[in-house]
């Protein structure tokens, strides 16, 4: 909302020394978002005067029409002689009054004016357009043509109100009353402690039975409708300069007198209005819901196909306006330039349901100043005053006559009342305001307040955002000053910090960043075609996706089941822009639909949902585990004076997975695997032991695959346009956390000597060494400090399909030197556990 300071001063007697910046600071302290203060006419310097065109000579031989004019500027040029000026505009004639800037003046933008030779003539100044003076578009399409009553030589800077300050306020949805001079003036008066001259305090005649007939079929959509009629308007009447300039400063373009007056009153009082050409309205004006598929042409010339939820204004023919949004072309006010202009108008000032107007405006993609106000809340009590103000201006400026008939259709309603403890704002803010302060501040807002310890507060009609006690508390707090609230740090109770899941998420990001990876967050949306490019099997669970009803893009209508598509797209994009050595990672949620998931009912908005309704909604939500993924391409270590460097390979992806496992305190088993996008010979399957998992024979505790790492298949890199030898890793962070030992603990360093025991086990060829190692570690118990595979042997003496795995086991006790018997017993227990689970046999036994 743009608020000219000169207009604001009409309602509040601000000190003459107050600037726009001063007012901005006051309003910001009161809670309004004043984004900027525009200095109109900054750098403007006269002489800038009213002139009368005496002669016009058309200059020939140029690429565009050029005119050589003589203009009477009175004594403003010091001689009284006509001023010779070259001008290219065509929208003026001999005898017209225009705005002339003379040599020595400076226009906005530091544009100095001097006599200069052009098109074979010397031009002593300029005939000005609105854009050249910083006035904005006045609809003329050329220079400014003034009404004939203005005297030659009059100072145009003062006449056109070119010097002013304009506050640009970003009005939040709960402050709809500030979309008007009346609302901002009320806030300004409160901020300065000054009285307000309310422009809505007008003498309005009582409604009577001989006003224009109106019938309301939907009182829920329209609870108030005021109609007034003005006849005998001069068709050629134009908006005066002061009215046009106020509209321009507020960001609106002057159109015609009747339309300009309704826009002016809307800006002044916040009540949208509409003027109908009475000769084009047939019969009674009504308000009803549209019929499904009904067609209607709005003022912008577009034909709209209406929805059954749209609220429309009608006459005997059908719709003549979209209620609260835009009028119809069939009752449009005729422009003053037309031969048969509008002489009789019907003024509509109504109050429409905010939700209905908002939905209609969005449904038809039709944003208007009226809809913007209705959907934020309009004062229903201001309708009659706005209609009266419009009638008064039309009578004054167009010579019309106000008919005695006054129509007001009002649905019965009661003011909103809130009961609040007098000390409630004190308890919310932690400041002792006291009852007197609370009552005074609420009265400044416009509330009627009664009571002592418990206050009964009647909310003013222009504040529909004041619904409950906390809204009233906020009003007291903001008017007393947010800056006056004490600043105290909260004292959270012990144990209320981050959850273990959140800690692991943060540690995972830190460890990957420390390993040289760059975080690359992506949108969680995918196209199902990417699963074909990744080479996933037709029955792969990752192909089952959750589809969105209203996706941001029709090309990506589903939620991701893997992080790789977004990361690989980021890698491809960066590689295409010249960054070839890449290491990217992301941690985030993936989404898997539940088996037999149902569509829950819509939750109510007029009350808190019940626990059963919330449980039903939660039961339909997809599973959302947190994953970690990374991709690598190019050089992992760059070459230089220190060495040759090396390219990224599958081992880097596997090592990153191990680093995450260490952060989670989990034992990660890495074994050969084959899955989807990874190269079958360079794919590692990432496995952990979960106590909560169920084994093949129903026993508790089993190995669970949590992800894969390695080099991508050449077919995948080709399909996705990726660099050759691209590597990737993805694992389930939630399962990794479940397999871990909880919070990391500092290791205890024993000062006692180590005992080393070697074992060689014969197993089947298809048994991974990592699995054997995991069971050796499980069986050895707490005395085992470290285990290392140091030899793999195959040969005829072992038998067909067999291999020998040799491990070095290091045992150490924290409090004593181990005996040979203790070390041997721990070794035998480890071998027994491995033999039990993998069928391993001691070599040579």
């Amino acid at each position: 909302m743009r608020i000219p300071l000169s207009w604001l001063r009409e309602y509040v007697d601000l000190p003459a020394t107050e600037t726009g910046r001063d007012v901005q600071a006051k309003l910001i302290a009161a809670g309004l978002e004043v984004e900027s203060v525009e200095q109109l006419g900054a750098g403007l310097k006269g002489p800038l005067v009213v002139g009368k065109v005496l002669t016009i000579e058309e200059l020939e031989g140029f690429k565009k029409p050029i005119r050589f004019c003589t203009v009477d500027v009175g004594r403003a040029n010091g001689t009284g002689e006509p001023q010779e000026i070259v001008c290219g505009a065509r929208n003026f004639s001999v005898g017209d009054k225009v705005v002339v800037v003379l040599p020595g003046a400076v226009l906005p933008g530091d544009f100095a004016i001097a006599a200069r030779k052009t098109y074979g003539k010397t031009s002593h100044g300029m005939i000005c357009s609105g854009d050249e003076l910083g006035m904005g578009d006045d609809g003329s399409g050329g220079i400014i043509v003034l009404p004939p009553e203005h005297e030659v030589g009059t100072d145009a800077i003062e006449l056109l109100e070119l010097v002013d300050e304009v506050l640009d306020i970003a009005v939040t949805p709960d402050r709809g009353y500030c979309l008007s001079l009346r609302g901002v003036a009320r806030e300004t008066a409160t901020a300065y402690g000054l009285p307000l001259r309310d422009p809505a305090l007008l003498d309005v005649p009582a409604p009577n039975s001989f006003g224009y007939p109106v019938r309301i079929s939907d009182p829920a959509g329209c609870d108030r409708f005021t109609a007034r009629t003005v006849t005998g308007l001069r068709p050629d009447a134009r908006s005066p300069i002061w009215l046009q300039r106020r509209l321009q400063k507020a960001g609106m373009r002057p159109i015609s007198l009747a339309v300009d007056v309704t826009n002016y009153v809307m800006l002044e009082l916040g009540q949208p209005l509409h003027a109908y050409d009475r000769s084009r309205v047939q019969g009674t004006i009504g308000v009803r819901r549209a019929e499904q598929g009904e067609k209607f042409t709005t003022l912008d010339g577009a034909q709209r196909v209406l929805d059954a939820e749209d609220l429309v204004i009608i006459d005997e023919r059908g719709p003549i306006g979209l209620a609260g949004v835009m009028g119809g072309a069939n009752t449009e006010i005729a422009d003053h330039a037309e031969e048969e202009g509008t002489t009789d108008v019907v003024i509509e000032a109504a109050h429409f349901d905010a939700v209905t107007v908002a939905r209609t405006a969005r449904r038809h993609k039709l944003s208007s100043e009226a809809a913007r106000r209705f959907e934020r809340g309009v004062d229903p009590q201001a309708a009659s005053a706005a209609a009266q103000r419009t009638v008064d201006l039309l009578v004054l400026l167009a010579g019309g006559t106000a008919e005695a008939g006054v129509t007001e259709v009002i649905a019965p309603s009661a003011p909103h009342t809130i009961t609040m403890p007098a000390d409630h704002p004190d308890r919310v803010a932690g400041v002792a305001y006291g009852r007197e302060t609370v009552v005074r501040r609420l009265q400044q807002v416009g509330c009627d307040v009664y009571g002592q310890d418990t206050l009964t507060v009647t909310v003013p009609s222009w504040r529909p955002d004041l619904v409950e006690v906390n809204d009233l508390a906020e009003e007291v707090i903001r008017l007393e000053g947010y800056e006056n609230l004490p600043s105290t740090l909260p004292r959270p109770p012990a144990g209320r910090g981050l959850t273990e899941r959140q800690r692991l998420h943060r540690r995972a990001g830190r460890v990957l960043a420390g390993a040289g990876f760059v975080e690359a967050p992506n949108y969680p949306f995918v196209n199902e075609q990417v699963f074909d490019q990744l080479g996933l099997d037709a029955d792969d669970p990752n192909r089952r996706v959750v589809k969105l009803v209203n996706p941001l893009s029709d090309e990506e209508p589903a939620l991701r089941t893997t992080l790789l598509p977004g990361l690989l797209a980021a890698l491809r994009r960066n590689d295409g822009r010249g960054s070839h050595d890449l290491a990217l990672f992301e941690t985030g949620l993936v989404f898997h639909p539940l088996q037999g998931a149902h569509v829950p009912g819509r939750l109510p908005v007029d009350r808190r949902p019940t626990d059963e309704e919330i449980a039903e909604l939660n039961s339909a939500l997809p599973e959302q585990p947190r994953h970690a993924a990374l991709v690598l391409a190019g050089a992992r270590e760059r070459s230089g004076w220190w060495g040759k460097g090396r390219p990224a390979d599958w081992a880097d992806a596997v090592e990153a997975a191990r680093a995450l496992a260490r952060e989670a305190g989990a034992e990660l088993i890495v074994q050969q695997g084959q899955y989807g996008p990874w190269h079958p010979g360079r794919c590692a399957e990432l496995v952990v032991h979960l106590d909560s998992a169920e084994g093949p024979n129903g026993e508790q505790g089993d190995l669970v695959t949590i992800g894969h790492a390695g080099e991508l298949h050449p077919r995948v890199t080709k399909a996705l346009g990726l660099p050759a030898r691209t590597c990737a890793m993805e694992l389930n962070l939630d399962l990794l956390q479940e397999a871990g030992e909880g919070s990391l603990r500092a290791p205890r360093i024993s000062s006692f000597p180590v005992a080393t025991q070697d074992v060689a086990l014969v197993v089947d060829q298809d048994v991974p060494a990592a699995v054997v190692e995991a069971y050796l570690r499980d069986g050895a118990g707490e005395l085992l400090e470290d285990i290392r595979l140091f030899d793999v042997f195959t040969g005829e003496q072992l038998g067909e399909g067999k291999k020998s795995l040799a491990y070095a086991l290091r045992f150490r006790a924290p409090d004593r030197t181990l005996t040979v018997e203790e070390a041997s017993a721990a070794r035998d227990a480890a071998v027994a556990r491995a033999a039990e689970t993998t069928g391993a046999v001691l070599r040579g036994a």
Side-chain angles (χ1 to χ4, degrees):
M1 180 69 186
R2 290 171 58 85
I3 304 293
L5 188 59
S6 59
W7 195 354
L8 184 63
R9 288 181 182 275
E10 287 196 1
Y11 311 121
V12 184
D13 289 327
L14 294 172
T17 56
E18 288 293 285
T19 66
R21 297 290 184 191
D22 298 330
V23 177
Q24 177 188 29
K26 286 282 189 179
L27 293 180
I28 289 176
L32 293 184
E33 296 182 16
V34 186
E35 295 187 328
S36 64
V37 178
E38 183 178 350
Q39 304 289 333
L40 300 183
L44 177 64
K45 177 184 174 183
L48 185 73
V49 298
V50 175
K52 180 179 181 179
V53 180
L54 301 177
T55 65
I56 298 177
E57 177 188 350
E58 302 288 345
L59 301 182
E60 309 246 344
F62 300 102
K63 293 182 180 180
K64 62 179 181 178
I66 298 296
R67 310 167 96 186
F68 181 65
C69 312
T70 58
V71 184
D72 180 12
V73 295
R75 301 294 301 177
N77 58 3
T79 65
E81 296 295 324
Q83 200 80 1
E84 296 179 340
I85 298 175
V86 176
C87 184
R90 313 290 297 175
N91 67 314
F92 65 96
S93 306
V94 172
D96 283 345
K97 297 289 181 65
V98 294
V99 178
V100 179
V101 58
L102 301 177
V106 179
L107 295 184
D110 199 25
F111 180 31
I113 302 300
R116 64 189 183 95
K117 191 169 184 179
T118 179
Y119 297 104
K121 301 286 186 177
T122 299
S123 181
H124 299 273
M126 284 173 48
I127 302 176
C128 297
S129 68
D131 284 339
E132 290 166 338
L133 297 179
M135 295 171 56
D137 182 16
D138 61 358
S140 66
I143 61 97
I144 303 169
V145 178
L146 300 171
E149 62 267 19
H150 296 291
E151 294 185 7
V152 169
T154 302
D155 182 5
I157 295 178
E158 183 177 350
L159 175 67
L160 299 178
E161 302 177 16
L162 296 179
V163 179
D164 202 349
E165 294 180 277
V166 178
L167 307 172
D168 192 354
I169 302 176
V171 180
T172 53
D174 61 328
R175 298 296 174 104
Y177 66 97
C178 285
L179 288 171
S180 67
L181 266 296
R182 181 194 184 201
V184 176
R186 178 175 283 106
E187 291 294 322
T188 305
T190 302
Y192 278 91
L194 297 171
L196 168 71
R197 286 189 291 273
D198 190 345
L201 295 180
L202 301 175
D203 290 331
V204 180
N208 49 55
S209 59
F210 43 93
Y212 199 93
V214 173
R215 182 178 65 255
I216 308 298
S217 302
D218 190 342
C222 176
D223 57 7
R224 182 180 292 263
F225 195 107
T226 301
R228 301 288 299 275
T229 304
V230 181
T231 61
L233 301 177
R234 296 195 311 271
D236 60 343
R238 299 180 60 182
S239 302
I241 291 176
W242 66 265
L243 179 57
Q244 294 186 44
R245 287 297 294 135
R246 287 191 171 179
L247 291 177
Q248 288 174 329
K249 292 176 184 179
M252 303 186 77
R253 181 171 65 88
I255 299 174
S256 63
L257 177 59
V259 176
D260 291 350
V261 167
T262 57
N263 285 337
Y264 177 85
V265 176
M266 178 183 69
L267 293 173
E268 184 178 53
L269 300 182
Q271 168 67 52
L273 302 108
H274 191 72
Y276 300 97
D277 188 329
R278 184 175 181 179
S279 65
R280 299 184 181 184
V281 179
Q282 297 182 9
T284 301
I285 292 177
V287 181
R288 63 166 170 82
R289 297 287 172 170
E291 298 175 4
Q292 186 67 39
E294 194 172 13
K295 294 183 179 179
F296 166 63
T297 302
T298 46
L299 282 172
D300 57 359
Q303 187 179 67
R304 313 281 175 178
V305 179
L306 302 182
D307 187 90
E309 291 188 6
D310 292 334
L311 194 68
V312 292
I313 313 298
I314 61 168
D315 63 5
E316 292 180 353
R317 298 164 297 175
I320 60 175
L322 268 178
V325 181
M326 185 174 285
N330 50 359
T331 56
E332 182 178 7
I333 298 291
D335 188 86
H336 62 77
E338 298 183 17
E339 294 182 2
E340 296 183 2
T342 298
T343 58
D344 302 339
V345 298
V346 178
I347 305 299
E348 164 211 308
H351 185 262
F352 301 111
D353 176 60
V355 174
T356 299
V357 173
R359 288 178 175 173
T360 297
R362 283 156 180 74
R363 185 180 298 116
H364 296 284
K365 297 180 174 62
L366 191 58
S367 177
S368 67
E369 290 292 331
R372 185 177 171 218
R373 285 164 173 78
F374 275 122
E375 64 190 21
R376 286 166 171 79
V378 168
D379 181 6
Q381 302 292 338
S384 56
Q388 182 64 46
R389 177 71 164 142
T390 304
V391 168
D392 292 344
L393 287 173
L394 288 176
V395 170
L396 175 67
L397 302 177
T401 300
E403 289 194 350
V406 178
T407 302
E408 275 196 16
V409 181
I410 303 174
S413 63
H416 182 52
T417 301
I418 303 172
T419 301
M420 179 185 74
D423 63 345
H424 182 70
D426 301 16
R427 289 186 283 113
V428 171
V431 176
Y433 292 124
R435 179 189 175 280
E436 291 185 2
T437 299
V438 171
V439 172
R440 175 172 55 85
R441 289 303 188 183
L442 291 179
Q443 289 175 339
Q444 287 178 334
V445 171
C447 298
D448 291 330
V449 187
Y450 303 96
Q452 293 297 321
D453 294 338
T454 300
L455 303 179
T456 301
V457 182
T458 301
V459 175
S461 57
W462 59 83
R463 291 300 301 271
D465 59 302
L466 301 182
V467 178
E468 45 119 10
V469 292
N470 287 327
D471 298 326
L472 299 179
E474 181 184 3
E475 292 300 299
V476 174
I477 295 168
R478 77 177 180 88
L479 293 179
E480 282 295 304
Y482 291 122
E483 69 278 6
N484 296 324
L485 292 177
S487 178
T488 56
L489 291 175
R491 294 182 178 180
R496 297 292 181 88
L498 297 177
T499 64
E500 185 58 33
R501 185 172 188 248
Q502 292 169 327
R503 291 193 186 98
L504 178 59
H505 179 210
R506 294 193 178 187
R507 293 203 307 270
R510 285 197 293 266
V511 74
L512 291 177
F517 292 85
V518 176
E519 188 170 15
N522 295 283
Y523 288 115
F525 312 118
V526 295
N527 189 320
E528 292 178 84
Q529 181 184 355
V530 76
F531 300 135
D532 296 327
Q533 296 171 325
L534 290 176
L536 300 188
D537 294 335
D539 59 348
D540 193 296
N542 280 337
R543 283 185 176 270
R544 295 185 61 248
V545 296
V546 178
K547 291 190 176 180
L548 300 172
V549 176
N550 55 342
L552 294 180
S553 170
D554 292 336
E555 296 180 357
E556 295 179 328
L559 291 174
R560 65 190 179 190
T561 55
T562 167
L563 302 181
L564 289 182
L567 277 177
L568 293 175
L571 185 141
R572 180 179 64 248
R573 184 165 54 251
N574 283 274
D575 182 72
R577 295 176 180 175
S579 298
H580 304 301
D581 302 328
L582 295 163
L584 309 177
F585 83 93
E586 180 179 8
T587 57
L589 301 180
V590 298
F591 307 86
H592 296 285
L594 298 175
Q595 292 288 350
H598 62 282
V599 178
R602 292 189 176 182
L603 294 180
V605 296
D606 58 341
R607 59 175 174 81
R608 183 189 182 280
T610 64
D611 294 340
E612 291 75 15
E613 289 171 329
I614 295 175
E616 181 189 7
L617 177 65
N618 289 334
S619 67
L621 295 178
E623 293 182 359
Q624 301 176 50
R626 189 179 297 280
H627 280 205
L630 55 89
V631 293
L632 304 100
R636 185 62 175 146
E637 296 177 3
R638 294 187 177 183
S639 60
W641 57 266
W642 53 85
K644 294 182 179 180
R646 67 173 183 85
D649 60 17
W650 62 268
D652 294 302
V654 173
E655 178 55 31
R658 287 196 173 103
L660 292 177
R662 287 192 293 270
E663 286 296 318
E667 291 292 338
L668 184 68
I669 301 172
V670 180
Q671 60 190 33
Q672 185 175 358
Q674 183 174 345
Y675 177 72
W678 280 277
H679 192 295
R682 298 168 185 155
C683 175
E685 184 177 9
L686 309 176
V687 179
V688 294
H689 184 274
L690 288 182
D691 293 334
S692 61
E694 186 174 311
N697 298 319
E699 69 275 11
Q700 287 301 111
D702 198 14
L703 298 178
V704 176
T705 299
I706 64 167
H708 294 83
E711 184 180 314
L712 296 184
H713 198 290
R715 284 198 301 267
V716 174
T717 58
K718 182 177 180 181
L720 294 175
L722 303 171
R725 301 287 188 179
T726 297
C727 301
M729 182 278 293
E730 182 170 11
L731 57 75
N732 188 320
L733 267 182
D734 289 345
L735 291 180
L736 187 64
Q737 177 193 346
E738 188 177 344
E741 298 178 353
S743 301
L744 293 179
R745 297 179 181 178
R748 291 185 177 181
I749 307 300
S750 174
S751 60
F752 294 92
V754 67
T756 302
Q757 297 274 353
D758 294 343
V759 294
L761 301 177
V762 178
V763 296
D764 293 336
Q765 282 277 14
D766 58 352
V767 176
V771 172
V772 177
E773 178 182 323
Y775 285 115
L776 285 172
R777 188 181 299 274
D778 184 43
E782 296 182 355
L783 294 179
L784 181 67
E785 182 180 80
D786 185 42
I787 183 171
R788 178 174 60 88
L789 175 68
F790 65 87
D791 184 55
V792 178
F793 173 75
T794 57
E796 296 180 358
Q797 61 271 44
L798 295 178
E800 185 177 355
K802 298 291 185 178
K803 63 181 176 182
S804 172
L805 304 175
Y807 295 91
L809 286 70
R810 291 167 55 92
F811 297 99
R812 194 194 311 254
D815 57 349
R816 67 188 185 282
T817 300
L818 289 177
T819 65
V820 174
E821 290 76 13
E822 287 178 310
S824 298
R827 178 202 62 191
D828 294 342
V831 172
R833 177 62 173 154
E836 176 188 354
T837 53
T838 66
V841 178
L842 269 175
R843 186 175 174 183

